[in-house]
Amino acid sequence: RIMALGAVTATIPVASKWQAGQQFTAYGYYTVGGAVAVSDTITFTNLIPAGGVQIISARLMTPKLDTHATPTATWDLGDASDDDRLINDVSMGWDDETTHVIYDSNRTPSATVGVGYTYTAATSLVLTIGGTMATAASTGHIALWVTYYCVGNV
């Protein structure tokens, strides 16, 4: 029997950086090895650096983890204080691609809530599966890129 993911931690091969007045992109990924389920979370530990940054965009690429013809599961991307600060309740079936779905906080419906938000401390981002799962997949690679501008602690 394949177990749900539960609460797991992503790998961060491109760690966050901070330098006043500069723009950077941090990257993390998680390789799915079990069936996904509603309320599963993937934590991208300290993907946001200390020092004060303003979010420019969050881009999430995933396989179709709700493989039903009319998927009902959703994604939220946020932090410990607000679980949907950057991407809010977007359908896992939003795009028409058959293999991967790309969510961009600057173009995906309902996903612009966190663009321009300023973090003042190092912050872990958390990807959460919401809605209801129609047909769960159990393999694939989830990637997250967050682009931010270093503004300092304002």
Side-chain angles (χ1 to χ4, degrees), residues 1 6 45 47 50 56 68 71 77-78 86 90 106 116 125 144-145 147:
R1 170 170 151 29
T45 305
L47 199 63
I56 295 171
H68 194 272
L77 177 65
L86 301 178
V90 292
N106 288 317
L125 296 182
L144 174 65
W145 295 264
T147 301

Side-chain angles (χ1 to χ4, degrees), residues 35 71 94 115 137:
W94 180 75
V115 174

Side-chain angles (χ1 to χ4, degrees), residues 5-6 8-13 26-37 40-44 47 59-66 74-77 87 92 99-103 125-129 133 137-145:
L5 296 180
V8 296
T9 302
T11 300
I12 312 293
Y27 165 71
Y29 71 90
Y30 181 76
T31 302
V32 178
V36 295
D40 282 350
T41 61
I42 302 169
T43 299
F44 294 81
L47 199 63
R59 185 176 177 114
L60 174 68
M61 184 177 78
T62 76
K64 293 234 177 182
L65 293 175
D66 185 343
T74 60
W75 287 117
D76 284 330
L77 177 65
I87 294 180
M92 285 187 175
T99 16
H100 284 85
V101 184
I102 296 175
Y103 306 94
L125 296 182
V126 180
L127 183 64
T128 305
I129 297 175
M133 186 65 66
S138 60
T139 61
H141 183 81
I142 296 169
L144 174 65
W145 295 264

Side-chain angles (χ1 to χ4, degrees), residues 22 88 122 149:
Q22 297 299 307
N88 181 20
Y149 178 71

